[in-house]
Amino acid sequence: MDIDMKYKVLFGFLIVLLFAGGIFIGYKINDMDTETNNALENEVVKPAEDVEIYDNSSVQTFSKTYDILLVYEDNYIDCGETVTKSETIYGTTLDELKEKEKLKQQEQGKVYMIKEEENTKLVFSRYIAQNCPNHFKAILEDNVINIYQVITEDKEELYKTLDTKDKLVRDDLKEELKEGVFLNSHEELNLFIEDLES
């Protein structure tokens, strides 16, 4: 055989061999894809008892913070008035604020109930069997005028003593002061003091 012919046969044999190898490799790849697809289908149709339950108890959650209006209401039974104090607490959660305020109330020995709560407002309320701090009694005692805060019908606390001498007080007002003059607000008290000093 001629050398050219040998190369042609060898070249043809090599082409047939490569063609057969390509078919074989393609068949194997197709077979692997079929097995993978079957395995995936079996995973999807897996019975429920084999499914692993995810335990999220160790996952840390973050609560959204708000600017919360904090309100304290003191309802005074004897005078029927309510004194309200409020402030805005910035960047907190309702649960954090409730916990903080309850601890503060315990330290101060005050007992409040939650009247209203929402993400942006928390209202604490309590009832007190006395007058609110806006009730006063001015009375002439030992030639000086004492102003008492009227707590209850039977309890008064000295609020202040006026420097005004009783000799400078009008006679009609002096008679009233001997009995005691009741004043039901800080405004009334201030007007009364101005009247005494004029």
Side-chain angles (χ1 to χ4, degrees), residues 69-76 80-87 112 115-116 121-126 128 132-134:
L69 178 65
L70 175 63
V71 180
Y72 275 94
E73 289 180 354
D74 289 327
N75 302 288
Y76 292 92
E81 294 180 35
T82 299
V83 175
T84 304
K85 295 177 185 171
S86 64
E87 67 176 307
Y112 283 88
K115 180 179 176 183
E116 181 183 345
K121 187 175 185 181
L122 179 61
V123 180
F124 286 101
S125 183
R126 70 175 176 162
I128 305 168
C132 71
N134 297 325

Side-chain angles (χ1 to χ4, degrees), residues 58-76:
S58 63
V59 175
Q60 186 176 5
T61 57
F62 295 95
S63 301
K64 186 174 179 186
T65 60
Y66 297 93
D67 296 339
I68 301 176
L69 178 65
L70 175 63
V71 180
Y72 275 94
E73 289 180 354
D74 289 327
N75 302 288
Y76 292 92

Side-chain angles (χ1 to χ4, degrees), residues 176-191:
E176 286 181 46
L177 282 169
K178 287 179 183 176
E179 296 294 318
V181 176
F182 289 91
L183 308 157
N184 292 314
S185 70
H186 283 280
E187 291 78 17
E188 281 186 31
L189 175 61
N190 291 335
L191 288 172

Side-chain angles (χ1 to χ4, degrees), residues 14 23 28 42 44 56 62-63 69 75 79 90 98-99 104 109 112 114 123 164 171 190:
L14 197 57
I23 290 173
K28 282 295 184 185
N42 289 339
V44 172
N56 65 353
F62 295 95
S63 301
L69 178 65
N75 302 288
C79 64
Y90 297 96
K98 282 196 299 192
E99 187 65 31
K104 186 168 85 173
Y112 283 88
I114 294 176
V123 180
T164 307
D171 288 337
N190 291 335

